[in-house]
Amino acid sequence: MKINFTLEFSARENVLVTRLARPDYLNVFLGRIGAFMINNKLGDGSGAGERAVISSQNWVTGLSANNPWQTKLIAASLRNPEQLELLAGTDVYTMPPKVASAGRKELSGNFNSRTHENYDVSMFSSANDAHIEKFWEVGDKVLNLAERLASKVPDSGSELIHIAHEEGCEDMFPYLTKEEKSFIASDGKIPVYPRWSERISRGEIAPDTLLTLAGLASFTEDQKMLDQRIQGIIG
């Protein structure tokens, strides 16, 4: 059975997933990265998602080479046909039919791999302390955490958080107050940056982590609504 480990937004998240979970597929939801930039007036949305995908592809290919199978990267939810060329060399694309249709009409189809690219990211001055680079950079602390987790899988979520903090990766597995959890649930899929700017600047949480937490909260709410609908039908 093929496993798709979903809801990643950065190369460093995908490094952890590749080493620890070793799934058949994992993802970068690049459209939401751009939306996070645009909605919070941190940039025009260009470059960040694409750079996160290319970085993830290279890390995932390298790290999974010694696994029992090759983990493949999904560039998830492409928003425009130009991304088909910009992300050439990525294992898998997912996209709405209208993007695929536009790509067939507008693009030559003669793609060359772009996995060597480091795309420029358009950022405004408001993003100076937002640590947008966390979407594509993978530091030694993350690599050390990945190896430690791979050598011995934590027995619980609390143990995982404790280990992450010991390895200096607390911004990937932060402690959250009840109020902060409610903010994540109420803000929807795109977190409101001003709520988190101080904690981000202090290295206590990061944009990729926020997007993952927001996505999990959204999935939880969607599942709750689906369960209620099914109960209504069968009740």
Side-chain angles (χ1 to χ4, degrees), residues 8-9 20 25 38 80 110 116 149 170 186 197 202:
E8 292 89 55
F9 294 91
L20 183 58
Y25 299 93
I38 294 169
N80 60 73
N110 298 317
H116 61 284
L149 295 176
E170 59 269 21
S186 64
S197 58
R202 294 196 298 265

Side-chain angles (χ1 to χ4, degrees), residues 2 21 26 39 56 78 101 125 146 161 179 193 195 229 234:
K2 300 294 185 181
L26 39 64
N39 289 12
S56 290
L78 272 61
S101 177
S125 59
I161 294 171
E179 182 182 36
Y193 172 70
R195 294 192 194 276
R229 182 182 180 190
I234 65 177

Side-chain angles (χ1 to χ4, degrees), residues 45-231:
S46 64
E50 289 82 1
R51 191 162 179 177
V53 168
I54 295 299
S55 179
S56 290
Q57 181 68 70
N58 289 320
W59 279 105
V60 169
T61 299
L63 288 174
S64 66
N66 296 322
N67 288 349
W69 49 83
Q70 183 76 31
T71 297
K72 296 184 182 298
L73 179 76
I74 301 173
S77 300
L78 272 61
R79 300 291 179 90
N80 60 73
E82 290 77 18
Q83 290 175 324
L84 292 165
E85 288 190 326
L86 293 174
L87 301 175
T90 305
D91 293 318
V92 181
Y93 295 151
T94 64
M95 71 198 81
K98 66 179 182 179
V99 173
S101 177
R104 290 177 65 91
K105 292 177 181 177
E106 299 172 15
L107 304 177
S108 68
N110 298 317
F111 299 164
N112 295 310
S113 175
R114 301 292 184 91
T115 56
H116 61 284
E117 295 283 357
N118 285 314
Y119 288 116
D120 292 331
V121 179
S122 174
M123 288 187 282
F124 304 151
S125 59
S126 54
N128 288 345
D129 295 319
H131 292 296
I132 301 302
E133 75 281 354
K134 299 282 183 164
F135 287 116
W136 56 84
E137 290 186 358
V138 179
D140 290 340
K141 291 179 181 179
V142 173
L143 295 174
N144 291 339
L145 174 61
E147 293 308 311
R148 182 173 173 182
L149 295 176
S151 66
K152 184 181 184 301
V153 178
D155 294 324
S156 66
S158 59
E159 182 183 357
L160 170 60
I161 294 171
H162 179 72
I163 292 172
H165 283 240
E166 282 189 340
E167 295 294 335
C169 297
E170 59 269 21
D171 66 344
M172 299 187 77
F173 296 95
Y175 291 113
L176 299 173
T177 66
K178 184 177 181 180
E179 182 182 36
E180 288 172 332
K181 292 178 182 178
S182 70
F183 287 155
I184 289 172
S186 64
D187 287 344
K189 294 179 180 179
I190 307 301
V192 177
Y193 172 70
R195 294 192 194 276
W196 306 94
S197 58
E198 291 188 7
R199 291 201 67 182
I200 290 174
S201 67
R202 294 196 298 265
E204 297 172 355
I205 199 167
D208 56 339
T209 306
L210 280 173
L211 281 167
T212 295
L213 291 171
L216 288 169
S218 179
F219 280 169
T220 301
E221 183 61 26
D222 290 346
Q223 186 63 55
K224 180 181 177 181
M225 293 175 64
L226 178 61
D227 291 345
Q228 291 173 343
R229 182 182 180 190
I230 293 173
Q231 289 172 356

